Amino acid sequence: MPSANPIAVVTGASSGIGAVYADRLARRGYDLVLVARRIDRLRHLADTLCATHGIKVRSIEADLTEEAGLVQVEELLHTDEGIALLVNNAGNGKLSSTADMSDADTAATIALNVVAPTRLARAVLPAFLRRHSGAIINIASVMAFHPLPITTLYSATKSYVLMFSRGLQGELANTGVRVQAVLPAGTATEFYDHAGIPLSAFDPAVVMTTENLVDAALAGFDKGEEVTLPSVHDVSLWDAYEQARSALFGATQVGTPAPRYV
Ligand SMILES: NC(=O)c1ccc[n+]([C@@H]2O[C@H](COP(=O)([O-])OP(=O)(O)OC[C@H]3O[C@@H](n4cnc5c(N)ncnc54)[C@H](OP(=O)(O)O)[C@@H]3O)[C@@H](O)[C@H]2O)c1
């Protein structure tokens, strides 16, 4: 029997931001598909959400850096017409200089942060466009516009997520299909255990709780925001940044070298 509720697919739902998205979307009446490698954690969360909210939850054990894992989720996105929301949340990033990072970590970060959200978005978009409805939430990062010496690769991948989202928003204008990019700053999750720098190394005053982060991001989603920066109080800073970006692009369209180069 097809699901009566809209279905949300959340990648990286076994901990942190993804687990809280799963909880908040369950409260909103979505059935869920939860994706991650740690299937025991997904099953535990699924049992809790089913019991608490009376929704249906499927758990998929998939490594999204592997072809087999990606294909498994892509096939679901291609075929399940009940899917109304994709949350591209799974992400990682070793905090290290580029020269010190291992080949394996470099490849995994690009695969998970760049290739996976791109392929999953491409998998779900044809059905969304046919139905003139559906939404994708891409979890980027404030590091997308601020590389530090230990975040070069991570920042570059999150910059991709932001630009991919901005491009899609232009493509999808007036189609009924939405894309929201969410740019968290420091958030209290297991991310830092895997990144190699403990959360305790950060000033607690600049770290947000996962619950506050997701609730603010969903408030931005409800407002129809294209880009949501949960921790930025003065949103005119983002508006000025976007205006400067647009003005800079306009200034490149002249076809002659700038006088300082001739
Ligand atoms: N925490 C922050 O300060 C912060 C700030 C800005 C942006 N973000 C972004 O927020 C997103 C969620 O991260 P988080 O902070 O919630 O960290 P987290 O608690 O470590 O969660 C990461 C999630 O991604 C999943 N994942 C990791 N590698 C995977 C793989 N190869 N295949 C499938 N799933 C995989 C993990 O599940 P398994 O290990 O079970 O596979 C986990 O569910 C990421 O995109 C991150 O870049 C976080």
Side-chain angles (χ1 to χ4, degrees), residues 41 50 53 58 77 128 133 139 157 163 192 201 217 223 256:
R41 288 214 189 187
C50 288
H53 303 289
R58 278 173 280 173
L77 294 168
F128 283 180
S133 73
I139 307 300
T157 63
M163 280 301 127
Y192 296 94
K223 285 175 193 280
T256 52

Side-chain angles (χ1 to χ4, degrees), residues 71-155:
V71 167
Q72 200 184 346
V73 183
E74 281 176 326
E75 278 175 7
L76 177 89
L77 294 168
H78 280 308
T79 52
D80 192 327
E81 288 288 323
I83 293 170
L85 176 64
L86 167 65
V87 185
N88 270 322
N89 164 75
N92 68 14
K94 283 273 184 290
L95 298 178
S96 147
S97 73
T98 305
D100 288 340
M101 196 173 309
S102 71
D103 290 346
D105 285 339
T106 304
T109 297
I110 295 170
L112 188 63
N113 296 7
V114 174
V115 178
T118 307
R119 284 189 44 180
L120 300 186
R122 279 175 41 74
V124 82
L125 275 173
F128 283 180
L129 286 166
R130 266 197 313 278
R131 297 203 304 266
H132 305 289
S133 73
I136 300 173
I137 297 174
N138 287 328
I139 307 300
S141 166
V142 295
M143 302 319 289
F145 54 78
H146 193 70
L148 296 172
I150 55 164
T151 72
T152 306
L153 184 68
Y154 181 70
S155 287

Side-chain angles (χ1 to χ4, degrees), residues 21 28 137 139 180 182-183 211-223 225 228 230:
Y21 262 104
R28 290 176 175 222
I137 297 174
I139 307 300
Q180 180 200 26
V182 176
L183 277 60
E211 290 75 14
N212 279 347
L213 182 278
V214 175
D215 288 336
L218 282 169
F221 183 77
D222 293 341
K223 285 175 193 280
E225 285 184 354
T228 298

Side-chain angles (χ1 to χ4, degrees), residues 12-17 36-38 62-65 89-91 112 139-141 154 158 184-187 189-192 194:
S14 61
S15 62
I17 292 168
R37 295 167 302 180
R38 289 171 293 179
D63 184 336
L64 295 176
T65 67
N89 164 75
L112 188 63
I139 307 300
S141 166
Y154 181 70
K158 291 301 183 178
T187 309
T189 72
E190 295 171 18
F191 179 88
Y192 296 94
H194 308 299

